[in-house]
Amino acid sequence: MFLRLFKYLWPERFLLEPAQDDPFNEDPPPSGPGRVGVLLVNLGTPDTPEPRAIRKYLGEFLADPRVIEIPRYLWLPILHCMVLTARPKKLAPRYRGIWLEEGSPLLVYSQRQTAGVKQNLAARGYDVEVELAMRYGNPSIPDAIARLRARGVDHILTVPLYPQYAASTSATVVDAVTRHVGRLRDQPALRFVKRFHTEPAWLDAQAARIQDFWQANGRPAKLVMSFHGLPRYSIELGDPYYRDCLESARLLRERLDFPAEDIEVTFQSRFGSARWLEPYTEPTLKELARRGVTEVDVVCPGFVADCLETLEEISQECRDAFLEAGGKQFRYIPALNDDGRWIDGLTELVERQLQGWPVRPQGETARIGPA
């Protein structure tokens, strides 16, 4: 530190003459355009289904001021003295109940999506690196960017894996990426995908997933589209998430050839005592059962990979609530996960966003589109 201060402050005439091989005396080597990288980012997951790992994950997740929009001096004592002391133990059996042999479902399916996009891009002749990061937990955004940079990447396209935009999901990914890059001396060029809730490739893959399920299992009396909830005040402050969800639901209805009056749009995962987006998923399912609806399918179009909120909250808790209220048949339609149609659609989305960047090996024409 003192040497750096000396170089800044000491008069130049007192410095030693530069050596003959000083690189500043030579013409700099030509600079290439740099390689292109794609950073896919999902929410995150504990490293293991044990309380200690869950506590670490929740501590990072719930401390984000975009996730919990309560003044810090009020929220942080509650988080550390109450939430993080009790909630991890309650969540541990729930995480254990969904854990796959390879690890967390969210991580496993996100890794498969990443591998699929990378394979697709390579098959089409693109010289593009693809990395996965989690906004909270591992693999971290700084580590993923470091891996891209180590392979010569100087252009990074970040794709938050949330179809609908919310400040507490997509925006916080932008926060984390720009915060890390802001500390770099040689910063890469950056692009971000804001949302893809109306993308035909995503809609077609989601609709096909539902139709395949119905072809194999038959159609239900009711279809519930359950999106992750948000506090109402987030929408009142200008968050477009609610509008995005309704638009996604409308476009999916048009593709499903299913009566509009038999589709319910609901919101799940309420946290705390504030009023959230309504109608709530579990109370809606109970009400359907009380009205005599015996068969219901639930799909979660806000999740591109299954996780605790789909496999435990919907497929187990909501199922039990519906059956206890008088329902006879409850089925959860899995998320897109590693469905090839979704991976192809995600690849198409990435391709369009890479327009104008050097995606071909040096000497080849940079062209975006199917090979």
Side-chain angles (χ1 to χ4, degrees):
M1 182 178 73
F2 290 109
L3 179 59
R4 184 179 302 172
L5 183 63
F6 175 85
K7 289 182 177 180
Y8 273 116
L9 299 179
W10 201 252
E12 192 171 327
R13 63 179 178 272
F14 291 110
L15 297 178
L16 297 176
E17 290 295 326
Q20 294 301 313
D21 60 351
D22 191 321
F24 289 103
N25 290 338
E26 302 174 2
D27 291 333
S31 176
R35 300 183 67 207
V36 172
V38 176
L39 183 64
L40 304 179
V41 185
N42 215 321
L43 181 73
T45 177
D47 292 331
T48 71
E50 302 306 321
R52 185 173 182 178
I54 297 171
R55 184 177 300 109
K56 181 180 178 182
Y57 164 70
L58 287 180
E60 183 182 1
F61 173 42
L62 296 178
D64 189 330
R66 282 200 187 267
V67 174
I68 305 294
E69 297 184 85
I70 298 174
R72 314 299 287 156
Y73 69 90
L74 293 176
W75 170 241
L76 291 181
I78 297 173
L79 173 63
H80 290 284
C81 297
M82 298 175 62
V83 177
L84 295 181
T85 58
R87 193 163 178 79
K89 293 179 182 178
K90 294 180 180 179
L91 287 178
R94 297 170 62 181
Y95 272 109
R96 293 188 195 110
I98 67 164
W99 216 253
L100 301 176
E101 185 175 340
E102 308 98 305
S104 163
L106 181 69
L107 178 60
V108 169
Y109 291 125
S110 297
Q111 288 171 331
R112 293 178 186 176
Q113 291 170 8
T114 303
V117 170
K118 185 174 183 178
Q119 182 178 352
N120 282 351
L121 291 172
R124 299 177 187 187
Y126 299 140
D127 179 31
V128 174
E129 295 288 341
V130 185
E131 282 285 341
L132 171 68
M134 293 292 168
R135 174 59 186 90
Y136 313 101
N138 297 308
S140 71
I141 286 175
D143 287 349
I145 291 177
R147 287 191 292 273
L148 291 173
R149 299 287 281 166
R151 297 198 290 273
V153 167
D154 197 43
H155 304 68
I156 298 177
L157 169 67
T158 299
V159 186
L161 293 172
Y162 313 113
Q164 299 80 26
Y165 173 90
S168 56
T169 54
S170 306
T172 193
V173 170
V174 177
D175 291 345
V177 170
T178 54
R179 183 166 53 243
H180 176 71
V181 169
R183 293 193 288 263
L184 301 179
R185 181 170 294 276
D186 182 11
Q187 296 178 337
L190 296 177
R191 289 180 183 172
F192 297 90
V193 171
K194 182 174 181 178
R195 54 159 72 87
F196 50 89
H197 69 299
T198 61
E199 284 286 330
W202 171 73
L203 289 163
D204 291 343
Q206 184 68 77
R209 184 76 157 176
I210 298 169
Q211 289 165 337
D212 286 353
F213 185 88
W214 286 345
Q215 186 173 0
N217 301 284
R219 292 194 167 204
K222 288 280 186 179
L223 172 67
V224 173
M225 296 186 185
S226 179
F227 293 86
H228 198 287
L230 275 187
R232 284 179 62 94
Y233 63 75
S234 297
I235 308 305
E236 293 165 358
L237 291 172
D239 202 303
Y241 178 74
Y242 181 66
R243 180 192 63 207
D244 284 4
C245 292
L246 295 185
E247 195 168 12
S248 293
R250 176 181 62 81
L251 293 171
L252 279 173
R253 280 199 301 262
E254 293 173 359
R255 285 166 165 77
L256 289 175
D257 188 27
F258 196 77
E261 62 272 18
D262 292 330
I263 296 179
E264 303 279 346
V265 176
T266 64
F267 297 89
Q268 64 184 82
S269 306
R270 180 184 176 190
F271 178 79
S273 59
R275 188 179 179 188
W276 281 42
L277 293 177
E278 297 173 290
Y280 302 137
T281 298
E282 184 173 316
T284 298
L285 289 166
K286 291 179 178 178
E287 179 60 26
L288 287 174
R290 285 192 285 265
R291 293 198 330 239
V293 175
T294 58
E295 300 175 353
V296 67
D297 285 356
V298 180
V299 66
C300 299
F303 299 85
V304 298
D306 275 317
C307 57
L308 188 72
E309 285 81 359
T310 63
L311 297 175
E312 203 277 339
E313 181 182 355
I314 295 297
S315 190
Q316 297 179 32
E317 289 186 359
C318 286
R319 174 184 178 275
D320 292 346
F322 177 72
L323 297 180
E324 288 172 5
K328 302 301 181 184
Q329 177 179 279
F330 178 101
R331 301 181 304 195
Y332 167 64
I333 301 175
L336 291 169
N337 294 331
D338 52 0
D339 188 301
R341 291 163 299 196
W342 160 235
I343 293 175
D344 289 343
L346 181 56
T347 305
E348 292 174 14
L349 172 65
V350 166
E351 285 183 298
R352 287 201 310 278
Q353 298 297 323
L354 293 178
Q355 289 277 355
W357 274 3
V359 295
R360 295 288 187 181
Q362 197 169 6
E364 295 187 24
T365 303
R367 179 178 64 83
I368 299 292

